[in-house]
C-alpha cells in the first residue's frame, strides 16, 4: 500500500489531509472516548477497527458515489491529528453530498471544528463543484447543532426516529447549505491544493 501526503484544504490553523498510518493511535484514542462516541454509530471502538479504517482511508478516493471519504484534521504547525471530517457522495444524486465531523475532546471548544468544516465546504463547493451539502444531527447533540448553524447551514427538517443509536431510535435534524448560499468568511479555506 502506497501512502500519499495529499492535502485537500488549508485554513488559518488547520490542514485537511489524507489519513496516514501514523494517525492510527490518535484516531483510536478519540474514537474510543465514550463522550466523543455518545451521539455516533460506534461504541467501544477497538484498535484493530481504527487500524483497518485508517489503512482503508489512506488509499481511498473522495467523491466516489455511494461512499464516505474521511479527511484527517491536523494542526498545521505540528501535523498532529485532532479529528476528522467526512464527505459522503450520494449514490443517486452525486451533486449532493453529506458531511460529518468529529474532534478529540482536548481540541473541542477552540473553534477548530467550525474552521475545518469551513475548509471542507470550500473544497466541496469550489474544488468539487457540488450543488448542495447536507448534514444530519441527533436532536440531542447541542454541540453539533451549534456547529452546523455557526457555519451557516439551515435546518431543513426534523426527521422522526430516523436513526438507530445504541439500541434506541432517535430523531435527527437535517441541515443543508447550497452552493449559492456560501460566502467566504474569516477562518474559511485560504488555499486548496
Ligand atoms: C460536534 C463537535 C465537532 C463540535 O466541536 P466544537 O469544538 O464545539 O465546535 P467549534 O469548532 O464550532 O467550537 C465552538 C466552541 O469553541 C469556542 N471557541 C474558542 N476559540 C474559538 C475561535 N478561535 N473561533 C471560534 N470558536 C472558538 C466557541 O466559543 C465555542 O464554545 P462553546 O461550545 O462553549 O460555545 C464536537 O462536539 C464533537 O466532536 N463531538 C463528538 C462527535 C459528534 O457528535 N459529531 C457530530 C455528529 S456527525
Amino acid at each position: 500500500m502506497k501512502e500519499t501526503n495529499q492535502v485537500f484544504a488549508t485554513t488559518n490553523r488547520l490542514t485537511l489531509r489524507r489519513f496516514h498510518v501514523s494517525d492510527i493511535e490518535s484516531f483510536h484514542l478519540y474514537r474510543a472516548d465514550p463522550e466523543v462516541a455518545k451521539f455516533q454509530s460506534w461504541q467501544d471502538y477497538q484498535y484493530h477497527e481504527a487500524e483497518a479504517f485508517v489503512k482503508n482511508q489512506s488509499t481511498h478516493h473522495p467523491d466516489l458515489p455511494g461512499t464516505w471519504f474521511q479527511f484527517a484534521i491536523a494542526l498545521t504547525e505540528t501535523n498532529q491529528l485532532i479529528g476528522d471530517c467526512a464527505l459522503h457522495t450520494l449514490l443517486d444524486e452525486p451533486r449532493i453530498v453529506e458531511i460529518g465531523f468529529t474532534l478529540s475532546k482536548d481540541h473541542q471548544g477552540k473553534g477548530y471544528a467550525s474552521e475545518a468544516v469551513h475548509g471542507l465546504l470550500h473544497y466541496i463547493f469550489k474544488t468539487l463543484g457540488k450543488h448542495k451539502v447536507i448534514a444530519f444531527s441527533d436532536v440531542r447533540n447541542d454541540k453539533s447543532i451549534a456547529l452546523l448553524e455557526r457555519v451557516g447551514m439551515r435546518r431543513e427538517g426534523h426527521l422522526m426516529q430516523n436513526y438507530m443509536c445504541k439500541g434506541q431510535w432517535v430523531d435527527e435534524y437535517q441541515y443543508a447549505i447550497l452552493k449559492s448560499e456560501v460566502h467566504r468568511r474569516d477562518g474559511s479555506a485560504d488555499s486548496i491544493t
Side-chain angles (χ1 to χ4, degrees):
M1 181 184 61
K2 190 174 179 299
E3 284 198 332
T4 69
N5 289 318
Q6 194 172 3
V7 169
F8 299 94
T10 57
T11 67
N12 292 341
R13 300 175 291 178
L14 303 173
T15 299
L16 301 192
R17 62 160 170 77
R18 193 174 271 285
F19 264 96
H20 303 150
V21 168
S22 56
D23 295 321
I24 293 172
E25 205 165 316
S26 311
F27 178 72
H28 173 247
L29 266 179
Y30 69 75
R31 276 234 167 177
D33 179 340
E35 258 189 70
V36 168
K38 188 170 173 193
F39 299 113
Q40 303 276 27
S41 53
W42 67 84
Q43 61 187 342
D44 195 18
Y45 201 74
Q46 300 296 310
Y47 188 84
H48 68 85
E49 296 177 87
E51 211 169 22
F53 178 94
V54 168
K55 282 184 178 160
N56 173 272
Q57 287 297 320
S58 62
T59 53
H60 190 45
H61 292 285
D63 201 24
L64 288 181
T67 68
W68 281 93
F69 181 83
Q70 219 85 14
F71 300 84
I73 306 173
L75 295 174
T76 299
E77 232 175 82
T78 59
N79 201 27
Q80 182 196 347
L81 181 77
I82 63 164
D84 56 84
C85 54
L87 158 67
H88 170 213
T89 306
L90 303 192
L91 186 59
D92 294 338
E93 179 41 275
R95 290 166 293 189
I96 300 181
V97 300
E98 178 188 350
I99 60 168
F101 34 78
T102 300
L103 272 195
S104 81
K105 212 164 52 213
D106 287 352
H107 295 92
Q108 294 180 18
K110 295 175 180 161
Y112 286 136
S114 304
E115 195 173 312
V117 173
H118 275 301
L120 180 61
L121 291 176
H122 186 88
Y123 173 73
I124 290 170
F125 287 125
K126 297 276 163 67
T127 305
L128 299 181
K130 299 294 178 182
H131 169 65
K132 180 174 181 175
V133 171
I134 60 174
F136 297 93
S137 177
D138 186 318
V139 297
R140 302 165 301 174
N141 194 347
D142 296 336
K143 289 188 173 186
S144 168
I145 292 165
L147 162 59
L148 289 164
E149 294 182 356
R150 205 172 280 125
V151 299
M153 294 184 74
R154 179 175 13 82
R155 189 181 297 175
E156 286 198 326
H158 183 152
L159 310 172
M160 307 297 290
Q161 300 195 8
N162 197 50
Y163 182 61
M164 174 61 74
C165 182
K166 302 179 171 68
Q168 187 190 352
W169 284 110
V170 296
D171 289 7
E172 288 185 303
Y173 292 134
Q174 179 170 327
Y175 278 84
I177 189 165
L178 298 169
K179 185 179 185 183
S180 55
E181 294 171 320
V182 170
H183 302 291
R184 279 191 64 119
R185 40 195 123 172
D186 288 346
S188 71
D190 299 314
S191 62
I192 301 292
T193 53

